[in-house]
Amino acid sequence: MYVILVYDMGEARVTKMLKLCRRYLNWIQNSVFEGSISPVKLLELIEEAKQIMDLSNDSLIIFSSREERWLTKQVVGVERNKIGNFL
Amino acid sequence: MYVILVYDMGEARVTKMLKLCRRYLNWIQNSVFEGSISPVKLLELIEEAKQIMDLSNDSLIIFSSREERWLTKQVVGVERNKIGNFL
């Protein structure tokens, strides 16, 4: 499956979250990641994220698509990190 | 079509961008928006965004899916703004 992950965390936890997400996905902007990931790995990522997060303050949103080709990506301005192409 | 929009702008331009995106989409987190939008309206949004952006520094990424049902959304922790459900 293909996911887009965005988080909004208290500053004290941002670095840990960034490191965690980098282990599973590709950083593309600010607090935004994308990439192919198996459902099992995604669950693992979410469980680890929960350990880092203050669940009453922080927010993590994951959009997933079964197929990467169902998503089109368009970049305007600067591309912070170029990774594999979308269709 | 259904889009997820994320931006990373210089602080001086953030408020304008936020206002612009709110006119077309639903704010869900930080600098992240989502919503249904027609291809024509999306082009309009992009053109207006370009007027605000410093294209050599700012970044705007738009993921689009032809069908909303091709995307699943999962929220961990706090949901900053609750909008229509995904499947």
Side-chain angles (χ1 to χ4, degrees), chain B:
Chain B
M1 67 202 298
Y2 205 82
V3 306
I4 300 158
L5 177 155
V6 295
Y7 58 72
D8 183 6
M9 315 270 293
E11 253 193 77
R13 297 173 294 280
V14 163
T15 310
K16 273 196 175 175
M17 192 65 166
L18 184 78
K19 278 185 190 165
L20 169 65
C21 294
R22 272 189 194 277
R23 275 185 20 233
Y24 290 89
L25 297 166
N26 307 299
W27 176 83
I28 49 166
Q29 193 192 83
N30 234 347
S31 47
V32 185
F33 290 77
E34 66 171 326
S36 282
I37 190 168
S38 72
V40 171
K41 284 282 167 193
L42 181 58
L43 277 178
E44 214 179 274
L45 165 54
I46 291 169
E47 282 314 307
E48 287 188 62
K50 281 181 181 167
Q51 305 303 313
I52 296 171
M53 292 171 75
D54 170 353
L55 292 169
S56 58
N57 280 300
D58 300 336
S59 175
L60 169 67
I61 303 177
I62 298 155
F63 293 94
S64 33
S65 173
R66 207 144 42 82
E67 305 274 352
E68 179 174 349
R69 65 189 163 83
W70 289 348
L71 276 176
T72 307
K73 183 168 76 167
Q74 189 175 358
V75 180
V76 181
V78 178
E79 185 150 20
R80 307 265 189 240
N81 188 20
K82 297 191 186 214
I83 65 163
N85 288 325
F86 277 74
L87 288 178

Side-chain angles (χ1 to χ4, degrees), chain A residues 42-56:
Chain A
L42 181 58
L43 277 180
E44 214 178 275
L45 164 54
I46 291 170
E47 282 314 306
E48 286 187 63
K50 282 182 181 167
Q51 304 304 312
I52 295 171
M53 293 171 74
D54 171 353
L55 293 169
S56 58

